[in-house]
Amino acid sequence: MIRAMFAAAFSLVALPALAAVEIQEVTSPGGIDAWLVEEHSIPFVALEIRFQGGASLDAEGKRGAINLMTGLLEEGAGDRDAQEFAAEVEGLAASFSFDVYDDALSVSARFLTENRDEAVTLLHEALTEPRFDEGAIERVRSQVLSIIQSDATDPSSIASQTFDGLAYGAHPYGSDTSGTVESVSALTRDDLIEAHGRVLAKDRLFVSAVGDITPDELGEMLDSLFDGLPAEGAPMPPSATFELGQGVTVVDFDTPQSVVRFGQPGIDRDSPDFFAAYVVNQVFGDQSFGSRLMREVREKRGLTYGIGTYLVNQDYSDTLLGQVASGNESVAEAIDVVRDEWARLSEEGVTEAELEAAKTYLTGAYPLRFDGNGPIARILVGMQMEGLPPSYVNTRNDIVEAVTLEDANRVAAELWDPESLHFVVVGQPEGLSATN
Amino acid sequence: MIRRLAALAATCLALPAWADDHVTTFALENGMEVVVIEDHRAPVVVHMVWYRVGSADEPAGKSGIAHYLEHLMFKGTDDVAPGEFSDLVAAQGGTDNAFTSYDYTGYFQRVAADRLDLMMELEADRMRGLALTEELALPERAVVLEERTQRTDSDPGSVFSEQRTAAQYLAHPYGIPVIGWRHEIAELTLDDALGFYRENYAPNNAIVVVAGDVQPDEVRALAEEHYGPLEPNPELEPRARPQEPPQLVERRMTYSDPRVAQPYIVRTYLAPERDPGDQREAAVLTMLSELLGGSSATSWLGRQLQFDEPLAIYTSAFYNGLSVDDTTFGLTVVPAPGVALDEAEAALDEALARFVEEGVDAEQFERIKMQVRAADIYSRDDVSALARRYGQALTVGLAVDDVEAWPEILQSVTEEEVIAAARTLLDRSNAVTGWLTGPEDGDIQEVTQ
């Protein structure tokens, strides 16, 4: 779950600045909206589709239904069973990938220009006429159960699931999208059909296409692709409340290295202070950047291989999360350093030099994200889900540049709150007491 | 759905014929090779320096030194302060990182195309000018130990893989993990790292790959300016590792770990690699791996073990011929609930025997060849991946011509060749078979209904 959250977080800050990326807004004859970037130099199209709501739309008592349903979309549709369907897709050298996370069901597709119509017909069948054959259900159910059981003995999964459970309780964000062994074992074919109807509907659809296709061709394609999908799906989930406060939770697990998930409430994506927080986090905790946490925990003390913090914006919750792994004998020290740095940031803020370095990096790195049809399509669909206009690609760097030291340090003091910071530690940490 | 299990497998299919027009190569006088891959869609460039040295070239008892040195390469030179390398790249909005494998060590940056000059200046500087102290090197060794704990010791699947690989190679250093054995990492010194560095990091042991919005002439001029003045190492020895003797006896192992919830079987056969001017055998094995276990729904093992009789929830075959010395061809079977590992393995052996007997499914073979053709098109969209593939190929001893000939060789593989190769390869006296199990005997994992 956390993995999906981080992915979502990146997509919303990862947006274009390339003059070369010309986004066209396309509306199909049937009224479906999409964003398009034409790129005719390579004869294929990358297509990204999102159905908002995702796994959070699981019906009461049916946790995991949407995840299992998603896994079955490629397991037979229309007249073809799973093997026949796969053989058709492979024979076209197309690829369809279906996934689901807290806030959306995602479809990533790519297909060659030379057989685009055949590929679109198959994808249309997968989206609108999945068969949910009994054999396929049992096969995919076994795979899901295997993953659930493996997660139960995986320290990172235990850490994120424990953190989410404590933070969100009964809200869908509080449990894993896969469901439990019990809930998944109990799912019926009817549950899957219902799950399909809850999520795959036109009223929550976002589409982007990048590649060898014109706006007119895309318009026609959209109408064929989504023909027959219901107009409306299930109501969106309620808002989530982040219920964790300051403290340390230890989950005993026999492993040489403790895995730590930590976090506190974050900041709304629409807040005028969001970008100040974003730049400050770059200074403080970006894992691939020379951040304060990487310097203090890894480089100076050798306590970990990697540490990072992220502003995570989900549809119903905003958090500031981080993770680190450190040997059982050293993890207490690593946590102390994180706490101290959290407090120091809140009290002292960042320096002018740090702020400038982060801004230079962020504005320079922005155009580098647009390096292929697939990546650009993912960025465009993410922008639409965030409610951003196409022009954002040209204004985003200016917004980053406009963050002043005063803004940054006011937001650092307001947001980074050592008294809200909670650590979930999975392992056998030495010299660390749980507060629960 | 089962993408996470699929991470167990990796097979490399194809490379562009398109390369003719977009790939340029040349060499500098000091022996450094340069590959330029043009992609003018976005003003971005990837700059990679590949050294023809990896963990399989380490001195005995010093496992992990190649990887430890890779970490230390970010710790400064006479002109660049510790950690400043990455800061300078970040100040250009760029990202950088590095990787170590058995046969190569690589460093790369992704930046705006007009910053290539500075990237070359930085890489050239640290190719010969590393300047380190114990105060910098010691905490980094602790970081490497944490990395090993995180990636290997904390993950039973990785421990299992490490043990299987060690059993696979009796003589060849491929049996030693790239990151190193823990007790040897803990004793590595700065002098070890610097000795390894001075011997192996030189322009005549390096390949530079530049991919993106650049012109070959401009790259040549910059490379001559920055890398041209570097002195080659005239003492550089040809790579000569102890070679693996033929395997005569089947090897088996069972690893039980309480952290394992899902048992599985992995079998690897010792197999030939791609050689310059002689890639046919490897191409046949690549097609064999696709036929046996490329797609869960349509491959031979998928159909036999996951569909016809649901004895497994996942199967795969994997083979990567990009290797200096003998590599492996692998099979994975993840049994369905209630199916014991011996039962799953027996079904695997039976399916393999039937494959050799019944021959190749012509339609499936045609679908795979269609995907090889398409890979040629799709790969142009990811120029960083192309850069990696050229770097890998060249560091394991292939030439650019070999890389460009590869897709056609794959297309020309016949059904008869595949079956003949399978008949020779799939012999358990040439294999290591490992069982990974949970805490009990691991034979049966019941699902609570």
Side-chain angles (χ1 to χ4, degrees):
Chain A
M1 169 172 189
I2 284 280
R3 218 169 306 125
M5 285 162 51
F6 287 158
F10 285 133
S11 73
L12 74 89
V13 289
L15 315 168
L18 284 185
V21 177
E22 278 181 37
I23 301 172
Q24 303 177 63
E25 292 181 86
V26 173
T27 301
S28 75
I32 292 170
D33 295 325
W35 288 10
L36 166 67
V37 174
E38 285 184 72
E39 172 53 69
H40 296 287
S41 67
I42 310 177
F44 83 100
V45 174
L47 184 70
E48 290 290 333
I49 303 166
R50 300 289 181 275
F51 293 96
Q52 200 155 31
S56 295
L57 298 178
D58 268 333
E60 184 74 32
K62 304 291 182 192
R63 192 56 167 159
I66 290 170
N67 178 64
L68 181 58
M69 178 275 292
T70 305
L72 282 157
L73 293 176
E74 60 190 345
E75 294 278 335
D79 297 334
R80 298 179 182 88
D81 68 16
Q83 289 175 303
E84 290 161 349
F85 188 84
E88 281 298 314
V89 176
E90 291 165 12
L92 298 173
S95 88
F96 306 149
S97 149
F98 304 93
D99 208 347
V100 69
Y101 57 101
D102 284 320
D103 287 337
L105 186 154
S106 69
V107 184
S108 302
R110 67 178 188 188
F111 36 80
L112 301 173
T113 303
E114 68 188 58
N115 55 32
R116 183 203 298 150
D117 290 348
E118 293 95 314
V120 168
T121 302
L122 287 169
L123 185 55
H124 172 242
E125 285 181 7
L127 293 173
T128 58
E129 297 176 65
R131 286 161 55 122
F132 302 123
D133 288 335
E134 285 301 338
I137 293 173
E138 292 319 313
R139 198 170 48 253
V140 179
R141 193 201 310 267
S142 296
Q143 295 171 347
V144 171
L145 289 172
S146 168
I147 289 169
I148 293 171
Q149 288 168 322
S150 293
D151 283 349
T153 60
D154 174 61
S156 297
S157 302
I158 297 169
S160 56
Q161 292 185 17
T162 304
F163 190 95
D164 293 342
L166 293 168
Y168 299 111
H171 188 276
Y173 287 176
S175 61
D176 193 78
T177 54
S178 298
T180 63
V181 168
E182 292 71 29
S183 73
V184 173
S185 299
L187 293 171
T188 64
R189 182 168 186 273
D190 285 345
D191 293 332
L192 299 173
I193 293 168
E194 197 203 322
H196 182 262
R198 294 177 74 83
V199 187
L200 283 96
K202 288 182 181 168
D203 63 343
R204 59 204 58 207
L205 179 61
F206 298 90
V207 187
S208 67
V210 179
D212 186 23
I213 191 166
T214 65
D216 287 346
E217 290 166 341
L218 177 62
E220 277 179 40
M221 188 185 94
L222 294 172
D223 285 343
S224 331
L225 190 55
F226 300 111
D227 181 42
L229 270 191
E232 288 180 15
M236 289 294 160
S239 197
T241 316
F242 187 85
E243 291 162 3
L244 261 179
Q246 187 182 27
V248 176
T249 302
V250 176
V251 181
D252 181 76
F253 189 77
D254 186 6
T255 178
Q257 188 181 52
S258 293
V259 175
V260 187
R261 173 79 54 193
F262 53 94
Q264 62 150 77
I267 182 167
D268 194 292
R269 177 64 182 78
D270 295 328
S271 160
D273 286 335
F274 175 81
F275 270 94
Y278 182 61
V279 177
V280 169
N281 185 61
Q282 187 69 31
V283 173
F284 181 69
D286 186 275
Q287 185 155 341
S288 60
F289 185 75
S291 66
R292 285 186 179 183
L293 287 182
M294 279 292 272
R295 274 188 220 285
E296 295 297 325
V297 184
R298 171 171 156 152
E299 284 161 37
K300 282 195 192 162
R301 296 178 177 85
L303 297 174
T304 188
Y305 175 55
I307 181 166
T309 58
Y310 316 83
L311 285 170
V312 177
N313 295 95
Q314 295 181 273
D315 286 354
Y316 303 99
S317 174
D318 304 302
T319 42
L320 171 55
L321 299 181
Q323 95 286 316
V324 64
S326 184
N328 285 328
E329 67 294 343
S330 55
V331 67
E333 186 185 351
I335 288 174
D336 278 343
V337 176
V338 172
R339 267 205 207 99
D340 291 348
E341 287 301 317
W342 214 273
R344 182 164 81 90
L345 179 72
S346 183
E347 286 156 22
E348 299 172 12
V350 301
T351 66
E352 184 74 48
E354 285 176 317
L355 180 73
E356 285 313 311
K359 282 159 71 167
T360 307
Y361 171 74
L362 289 171
T363 53
Y366 189 52
L368 303 186
R369 300 178 192 272
F370 295 77
D371 68 334
N373 294 359
I376 295 171
R378 281 190 289 280
I379 290 165
L380 298 195
V381 84
M383 284 173 65
Q384 293 175 71
M385 291 192 71
E386 286 300 321
L388 297 167
S391 62
Y392 179 80
V393 299
N394 299 317
T395 58
R396 183 267 192 188
N397 272 357
D398 296 339
I399 304 172
V400 172
E401 288 293 356
V403 173
T404 65
L405 187 62
E406 200 186 348
D407 294 334
N409 288 340
R410 176 177 49 78
V411 172
E414 285 169 10
L415 184 61
W416 270 259
D417 178 13
E419 300 192 352
S420 300
L421 183 59
H422 197 99
F423 296 84
V424 169
V425 185
V426 179
Q428 295 179 328
E430 293 167 20
L432 184 73
S433 352
T435 54
N436 53 330
Chain B
M1 170 44 52
I2 204 80
R3 211 161 304 128
R4 288 169 45 185
L5 293 172
L8 292 167
T11 301
C12 135
L13 262 187
L15 252 189
W18 155 93
D20 295 353
D21 300 332
H22 297 78
V23 179
T24 311
T25 55
F26 54 88
L28 304 186
E29 276 176 27
N30 59 17
M32 190 161 94
E33 283 182 64
V34 182
V35 179
V36 182
I37 306 171
E38 290 176 71
D39 175 8
H40 299 290
R41 291 178 300 158
V44 176
V45 70
V46 177
H47 172 239
M48 311 184 97
V49 177
W50 294 71
Y51 294 96
R52 284 191 193 87
V53 65
S55 64
D57 303 298
E58 293 167 340
K62 301 289 181 186
S63 67
I65 196 67
H67 171 254
Y68 181 37
L69 172 61
E70 176 229 297
H71 277 236
L72 293 176
M73 286 290 283
F74 293 86
K75 294 298 180 182
T77 67
D78 290 334
D79 298 327
V80 177
E84 194 187 354
F85 188 103
S86 297
D87 289 349
L88 285 167
V89 178
Q92 308 301 318
T95 53
D96 70 318
N97 215 328
F99 47 84
T100 308
S101 186
Y102 297 107
D103 295 325
Y104 51 78
T105 311
Y107 301 82
F108 67 94
Q109 302 86 38
R110 270 187 84 242
V111 288
D114 59 2
R115 314 294 162 91
L116 178 61
D117 193 7
L118 176 62
M119 298 305 115
M120 282 198 180
E121 188 184 336
L122 286 168
E123 280 294 5
D125 173 49
R126 70 175 172 179
M127 188 175 292
R128 298 301 257 163
L130 199 58
L132 297 174
T133 61
E134 290 287 351
E135 293 73 55
L136 293 164
L138 275 178
E140 200 58 30
R141 193 177 69 190
V143 168
V144 172
L145 286 165
E146 285 290 343
E147 180 180 357
R148 189 190 147 91
T149 311
Q150 182 174 329
R151 293 196 162 164
T152 308
D153 306 323
S154 297
D155 176 10
S158 298
V159 174
F160 177 52
S161 165
E162 193 174 86
Q163 294 292 312
R164 274 189 292 104
T165 310
Q168 180 79 66
Y169 290 98
L170 297 178
H172 195 283
Y174 287 163
I176 299 168
V178 172
I179 198 166
W181 298 116
R182 172 170 290 275
H183 66 285
E184 292 186 355
I185 302 172
E187 299 297 325
L188 293 175
T189 67
L190 177 56
D191 279 349
D192 294 333
L194 290 175
F196 194 75
Y197 169 71
R198 281 190 285 265
E199 197 181 324
N200 295 295
Y201 281 48
N204 52 329
N205 206 28
I207 295 153
V208 168
V209 184
V210 178
D213 188 17
V214 289
Q215 298 294 340
D217 288 352
E218 147 203 19
V219 175
R220 183 192 284 268
L222 288 172
E224 275 169 359
E225 179 189 343
H226 295 296
Y227 293 113
L230 296 176
E231 288 296 323
N233 175 9
E235 322 265 282
L236 192 68
E237 302 276 341
R239 297 169 114 172
R241 291 93 169 247
Q243 293 299 298
E244 198 56 20
Q247 184 176 342
L248 303 175
V249 181
E250 182 183 12
R251 296 171 205 155
R252 302 188 63 84
M253 65 171 59
T254 302
Y255 173 45
S256 300
D257 187 306
R259 295 168 294 179
V260 174
Q262 171 65 65
Y264 57 84
I265 301 166
V266 178
R267 181 185 292 162
T268 54
Y269 303 86
L270 206 58
E273 74 285 356
R274 286 165 67 177
D275 286 321
D278 180 13
Q279 304 185 88
R280 187 146 198 99
E281 219 180 338
V284 174
L285 292 177
T286 301
M287 296 306 274
L288 174 63
S289 76
E290 287 296 318
L291 284 162
L292 279 180
S295 150
S296 264
T298 61
S299 67
W300 180 259
L301 293 178
R303 279 186 288 168
Q304 299 281 312
L305 303 181
Q306 294 173 243
F307 282 81
D308 293 355
E309 262 186 290
L311 293 170
I313 59 167
Y314 177 72
T315 56
S316 77
F318 53 94
Y319 169 76
N320 185 348
L322 288 173
S323 176
V324 171
D325 298 309
D326 279 355
T327 183
T328 57
F329 183 103
L331 301 169
T332 306
V333 179
V334 182
V339 176
L341 289 173
D342 58 354
E343 202 184 330
E345 190 180 341
L348 169 68
D349 280 322
E350 211 178 300
L352 294 173
R354 267 203 309 277
F355 177 80
V356 173
E357 225 168 84
E358 293 183 18
V360 169
D361 172 348
E363 286 180 11
Q364 179 70 358
F365 205 40
E366 190 38 52
R367 283 193 286 267
I368 290 167
K369 288 189 173 178
M370 172 65 187
Q371 288 170 62
V372 172
R373 274 192 292 279
D376 191 54
I377 293 171
Y378 292 133
S379 67
R380 293 179 222 165
D381 195 39
D382 188 351
V383 77
S384 301
L386 276 180
R388 282 195 298 277
R389 245 181 274 176
Y390 274 92
Q392 262 184 320
L394 269 57
T395 44
V396 303
L398 299 175
V400 168
D401 287 349
D402 295 311
V403 178
E404 292 173 4
W406 180 245
E408 278 179 43
I409 301 176
L410 288 174
Q411 289 295 347
S412 71
V413 171
T414 65
E415 297 175 17
E416 294 70 31
E417 284 178 299
V418 170
I419 296 301
R423 209 182 289 278
T424 312
L425 177 82
L426 301 174
D427 171 356
R428 276 173 37 178
S429 67
N430 182 42
V432 177
T433 305
W435 290 7
L436 179 63
T437 74
E440 288 132 45
D441 65 352
D443 278 353
I444 297 178
Q445 286 285 309
E446 288 288 354
V447 173
T448 313
Q449 294 288 333

